[in-house]
Amino acid sequence: MKTARRITVLLLATAALAGCSSDPDDGNDVPSSWIRRQYATSGADYVDSRDTPSRVAQEIDGHTAARDRLSDNDMVFLRYRNDIVAISPHASGSRIEIADYRTGYRRWRPHIRSVWPDPDSDTFRGGGPGSGK
C-alpha cells in the first residue's frame, strides 16, 4: 500500500513540475508548413492572389498567434519566436516572406527598428528556449 502511495505521489509531483517548468513561448514557431499548404509558391516566397496583406496576416496569425504584429504603410509583419513573416502587396494580392529573426530584422529594419529589439544589440535576449537567459 505504501508503495502505491509513493508511486502516486511521485507521478503527481512529476506532472506538477512539468507543468510549472514549461515555457509558454516554446510553441511559438512560425507556421511555415501551414503557409506552404495554404498559399501558392513563388520562388522562395508565397503568394495569395486575392487577399490584402492585412487579411493574409489575420489568416496566419489566426492559425498560429504571433508574439507581435506590426503594420507599416501597406506591409504587415508578424514576429514569432525565431522568425519574422512579412506580408506585402503583390499584384492584386499579397506576397508572404519568411525569414529568421536576425535576417528579417536586417532586411526590414526601416519598418521595425524602433518597435522590435535589434538582434545585434548587447541587450537582445534571443527567442529560443534558454537563449540569452
Side-chain angles (χ1 to χ4, degrees):
M1 194 70 163
K2 283 185 177 182
T3 304
R5 281 189 209 140
R6 285 183 190 159
I7 292 172
T8 302
V9 169
L10 181 61
L11 290 174
L12 289 173
T14 303
L17 287 174
C20 292
S21 66
S22 66
D23 184 350
D25 292 330
D26 280 352
N28 189 256
D29 287 329
V30 68
S32 55
S33 61
W34 182 83
I35 290 171
R36 275 193 298 275
R37 289 190 310 271
Q38 289 295 118
Y39 303 101
T41 304
S42 173
D45 304 326
Y46 305 93
V47 293
D48 181 314
S49 60
R50 299 179 313 239
D51 294 328
T52 64
S54 179
R55 176 71 184 131
V56 171
Q58 188 176 23
E59 292 169 357
I60 295 169
D61 192 33
H63 181 268
T64 303
R67 280 186 169 186
D68 199 5
R69 180 177 172 156
L70 172 66
S71 296
D72 185 40
N73 295 322
D74 51 359
M75 292 184 74
V76 180
F77 301 91
L78 299 174
R79 179 180 174 199
Y80 288 90
R81 180 175 47 154
N82 295 318
D83 300 289
I84 295 174
V85 177
I87 304 116
S88 58
H90 177 72
S92 61
S94 300
R95 175 185 310 277
I96 303 142
E97 300 172 78
I98 303 171
D100 68 86
Y101 188 82
R102 185 175 306 279
T103 302
Y105 186 91
R106 288 176 181 158
R107 179 168 181 196
W108 299 299
R109 183 185 309 254
H111 303 281
I112 60 179
R113 72 170 165 238
S114 64
V115 181
W116 292 347
D118 183 344
D120 295 324
S121 164
D122 290 338
T123 59
F124 183 68
R125 289 182 41 152
S131 65
K133 296 178 184 172

